[in-house]
């Protein structure tokens, strides 16, 4: 049986958990990158072998948002995107636990007894050697193994060597995206980095220069947006793959002030206002520039379109 907890907005999360024995791993899993995927594959395989349910316990909001009031932190995935990705790698139960000060104050014993054992029905935990838990991160993997003996579950430790052999981290992915290196970020992730947003009405400038754009609004302020520039992207719109050019920036040629996300879809002319699109990043074409005038901007966009089409053709050969 498959079940996913979906958070109500913005942070309120209803805790509803299937009453089945679980093999579980625990973590933020921001990005669900190739290092995370190795752990997830192990959990899924063990669940199939033992006839249990595969599960991930993840926390939201990010602990630093609560404990350090750090609302400027940027994450690779929204919580809904994280759930979607975890499910795509075979995880049957995604349990989102709301991270509050009350949760942070739980002792290690209460955390294990009331959440891992009583609520989650944990039979086996797959976890990294450096895992800490409980108030002030008071307990470690050795303590977890002692609790396991008392409460009759198993702990499989992911060794330091296994973790260090995977040279990917969420921090590395964020850095690549901050630099606009989406192809590098994609290689770390094992999939194309993407954003999810609603198409809203913009100022309509693109249409006047023959490059009509869809303005994308992302409601989650904590979602990391790649560095300003022009990118080749793609989206699945009503069952069809549509490629495009995305501009991220302030539109300095027309003295724009606010950062925006706009997509010019190639060979596409449909009304998509109010649709929510998932848009994948494929390649960065150039940085955002301020041109002498609108004519110069239009000339550059024509060059960008030629370069984008050449890249798309090269990838589809």
């Amino acid at each position: 049986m498959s079940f996913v907890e979906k958070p109500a907005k913005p942070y309120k999360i209803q805790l509803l958990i299937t009453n089945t024995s679980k093999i579980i791993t625990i973590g933020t899993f921001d990005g669900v990158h190739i290092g995370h995927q190795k752990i997830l594959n192990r959990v899924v395989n063990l669940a199939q072998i033992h006839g249990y349910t595969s599960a991930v316990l993840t926390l939201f909001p990010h602990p630093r948002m609560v404990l350090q009031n750090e609302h400027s932190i940027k994450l690779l995935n929204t919580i809904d995107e994280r759930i979607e990705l975890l499910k795509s790698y075979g995880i049957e139960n995604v349990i989102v636990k709301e991270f509050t000060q009350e949760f942070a104050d739980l002792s290690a014993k209460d955390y294990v007894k009331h959440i891992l054992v009583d609520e989650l029905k944990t039979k086996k935990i797959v976890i990294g050697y450096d895992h800490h838990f409980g108030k002030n991160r008071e307990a470690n993997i050795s303590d977890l193994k002692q609790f396991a003996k008392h409460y009759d579950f198993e702990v499989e430790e992911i060794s330091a060597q296994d973790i260090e052999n995977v040279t990917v981290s969420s921090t590395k992915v964020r850095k690549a995206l901050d630099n606009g290196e989406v192809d590098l970020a994609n290689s770390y992730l094992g999939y194309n980095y993407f954003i999810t947003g609603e198409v809203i009405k913009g100022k309509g400038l693109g249409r006047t220069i023959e490059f009509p754009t869809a303005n994308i609004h992302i409601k989650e302020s904590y979602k990391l947006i790649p560095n300003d520039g022009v990118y080749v992207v793609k989206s699945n719109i009503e069952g069809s793959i549509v490629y495009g050019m995305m501009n991220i920036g302030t539109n300095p040629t027309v003295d724009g002030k606010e950062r925006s996300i706009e997509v010019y879809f190639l060979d596409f002319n449909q009304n998509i206002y109010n649709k929510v699109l998932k848009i994948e990043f494929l390649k960065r074409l150039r940085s955002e520039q301020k041109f002498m005038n609108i004519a110069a901007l239009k000339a550059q966009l024509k060059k960008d379109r030629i370069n984008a089409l050449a890249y798309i053709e090269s990838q589809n050969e």
Side-chain angles (χ1 to χ4, degrees):
M1 182 176 181
S2 177
F3 179 83
V4 175
E5 291 182 1
K6 285 252 183 175
K9 304 300 184 285
Y11 290 152
K12 186 64 177 175
I13 297 167
Q14 300 297 320
L15 187 62
L16 300 171
I17 303 165
T18 52
N19 189 27
T20 56
S21 298
K22 299 175 182 67
I23 293 182
I24 191 167
T25 188
I26 304 164
T28 303
F29 290 98
D30 187 31
V32 196
H33 55 62
I34 58 175
H36 295 144
Q37 291 161 31
K38 183 177 180 181
I39 299 170
L40 300 176
N41 289 338
R42 179 61 178 161
V43 170
V44 170
N45 289 338
L46 284 170
Q48 292 172 346
I49 291 169
H50 295 287
Y52 293 143
T53 298
S54 59
V56 167
L57 171 61
T58 192
L59 304 175
F60 188 81
H62 193 284
R64 279 161 52 190
M65 293 178 178
V66 176
L67 301 179
Q68 301 171 28
N69 200 28
E70 190 177 335
H71 294 287
S72 62
I73 185 172
K74 298 297 182 182
L75 302 180
L76 298 170
N77 307 131
T78 68
I79 187 60
D80 288 329
E81 290 171 351
R82 192 190 311 172
I83 292 169
E84 174 192 335
L85 284 164
L86 290 168
K87 284 191 67 184
S88 74
Y89 290 106
I91 297 298
E92 298 168 280
N93 255 210
V94 179
I95 302 118
V96 182
K97 191 73 171 172
E98 184 177 12
F99 190 88
T100 61
Q101 187 61 57
E102 182 182 15
F103 180 88
D105 288 338
L106 280 176
S107 69
K109 181 179 179 181
D110 285 345
Y111 167 73
V112 172
K113 171 68 169 63
H114 297 306
I115 294 179
L116 297 186
V117 177
D118 294 344
E119 290 187 7
L120 301 188
K121 315 298 181 191
T122 301
K123 299 303 291 183
K124 189 181 184 79
I125 298 175
V126 179
I127 204 74
Y129 75 99
D130 56 350
H131 181 65
H132 287 76
F133 59 98
K135 186 175 182 179
N136 298 323
R137 294 166 52 86
E138 63 186 357
N140 58 28
I141 188 82
S142 297
D143 298 308
L144 186 61
K145 290 177 178 177
Q146 291 302 312
F147 283 124
K149 293 177 183 177
H150 182 74
Y151 291 113
D152 191 30
F153 63 86
E154 297 178 57
V155 176
E156 180 173 313
E157 179 181 345
I158 305 167
S159 69
Q161 182 177 356
D162 280 346
I163 289 176
E164 288 164 4
N165 281 343
V166 178
T167 58
V168 174
S169 69
S170 299
T171 300
K172 282 188 174 182
V173 180
R174 292 189 199 105
K175 183 177 180 181
L177 292 170
D178 283 337
N179 292 333
E181 299 171 308
V182 293
D183 46 355
L184 178 60
N186 292 347
S187 71
Y188 290 153
L189 292 168
Y191 61 88
N192 295 326
Y193 188 69
F194 63 91
I195 58 173
T196 309
E198 181 183 3
V199 179
I200 61 173
K201 286 190 178 293
K203 296 179 180 178
L205 174 64
R207 190 169 298 280
T208 66
I209 59 172
E210 302 173 16
F211 284 87
T213 60
N215 290 262
I216 310 298
H217 171 67
I218 300 174
K219 62 180 179 294
E220 295 89 353
S221 61
Y222 60 87
K223 170 72 175 183
L224 190 154
I225 308 303
N227 194 16
D228 291 357
V230 178
Y231 297 85
V232 182
V233 297
K234 72 175 181 179
S235 183
N236 187 321
I237 303 178
E238 296 184 352
S240 297
I241 299 299
V242 182
Y243 291 90
M245 297 175 352
M246 174 184 286
N247 184 81
I248 300 173
T250 59
N251 295 307
T253 303
V254 293
D255 297 322
K257 303 299 180 185
E258 295 184 2
R259 195 180 192 215
S260 63
I261 303 171
E262 301 174 60
V263 185
Y264 164 66
F265 286 111
L266 303 164
D267 301 318
F268 181 81
N269 186 25
Q270 292 183 25
N271 184 349
I272 53 175
Y273 284 128
N274 303 318
K275 288 189 180 296
V276 175
L277 301 181
K278 173 182 173 181
I279 304 172
E280 302 177 32
F281 289 83
L282 305 180
K283 182 178 178 59
R284 189 174 198 253
L285 292 177
R286 61 176 175 85
S287 60
E288 188 179 48
Q289 299 169 243
K290 181 172 183 177
F291 295 94
M292 293 287 292
N293 50 45
I294 296 295
L297 169 61
K298 184 177 177 180
Q300 180 61 54
L301 289 174
K302 289 181 177 179
K303 293 177 183 177
D304 293 338
R305 180 166 53 191
I306 291 170
N307 291 335
L309 288 169
Y311 172 79
I312 294 162
E313 184 178 352
S314 71
Q315 297 303 298
N316 292 330
E317 287 178 349

